[in-house]
Amino acid sequence: MFNVETYKGSKEKQYNMLHKQLRALLEGEPNQIANLSNASALLNQFLDTTNWVGFYLIENGELVLGPFQGLPACVRIPLGKGVCGTAAGENKTLRVEDVHAFPGHIACDAASQSEIVVPLVKNGEVIGVLDIDSPIKNRFDEEDQKGLETFAEILSEYI
């Protein structure tokens, strides 16, 4: 059974608790959809001032919508297009302070102002991305990036 935790202490300590919770949720479960679903729910509960938390997975050379929390979203994103497609294509985290200033941004939710996208890598290959949007500009900082990259690394062990 999952209990909602009150995250205390520094942002680093909060992310460490999140990582422990993620491992506990995923341990022993081999189903990718179940694990991605629980991971998106956990992040949605953990993060404040976000309006979309979810995953896109690579299928036939494009990103396809996976489990998420938030409003309905774009279903398919070409690699190299938008923030998600660029992060996947370049295999690097993109932290965007103002999505409206990002060339080729794909607006799935008009309320989104900032975004962070972290590649999911398994056996050295990008298999998808973790995508998080916020309705405020410059929501994500270096500590968020580090914590979310670790989250994605842990998750990749279970999907």
Side-chain angles (χ1 to χ4, degrees):
M1 178 168 69
F2 182 80
N3 292 316
V4 175
E5 294 287 333
T6 302
Y7 298 94
K8 299 176 184 172
S10 68
K11 196 180 266 192
E12 181 181 10
K13 285 186 179 185
Q14 292 177 36
Y15 271 106
N16 286 339
M17 172 62 82
L18 176 73
H19 299 149
K20 288 178 186 174
Q21 288 180 309
L22 179 64
R23 284 192 187 279
L25 278 173
L26 304 180
E27 191 63 42
E29 178 52 60
N31 185 275
Q32 181 183 54
I33 297 300
N35 287 337
L36 290 170
S37 297
N38 269 337
S40 64
L42 178 63
L43 273 176
N44 191 55
Q45 181 267 324
F46 171 75
L47 294 167
D48 61 0
T49 60
T50 59
N51 58 315
W52 203 90
V53 176
F55 300 95
Y56 283 90
L57 302 173
I58 294 180
E59 183 179 299
N60 298 321
E62 65 184 344
L63 291 169
V64 179
L65 182 64
F68 69 93
Q69 303 279 309
L71 294 177
C74 303
V75 175
R76 295 180 184 275
I77 299 173
L79 292 178
K81 301 291 183 186
V83 182
C84 289
T86 301
E90 296 179 2
N91 187 13
K92 74 176 189 179
T93 299
L94 291 181
R95 195 173 74 227
V96 181
E97 295 177 2
D98 179 357
V99 294
H100 304 291
F102 188 89
H105 173 252
I106 300 169
C108 296
D109 182 345
S112 294
Q113 298 293 315
S114 63
E115 184 171 10
I116 187 167
V117 179
V118 181
L120 299 172
V121 179
K122 187 150 186 104
N123 300 322
E125 185 176 323
V126 177
I127 60 168
V129 296
L130 164 60
D131 179 24
I132 305 171
D133 293 3
S134 173
I136 62 172
K137 290 184 180 174
N138 201 22
R139 159 61 180 87
F140 306 102
D141 62 20
E142 288 180 30
E143 285 184 279
D144 290 308
Q145 181 172 337
K146 182 180 176 200
L148 293 168
E149 286 173 341
T150 300
F151 187 94
E153 288 171 14
I154 294 167
L155 181 59
S156 293
E157 296 171 23
Y158 294 90
I159 59 173

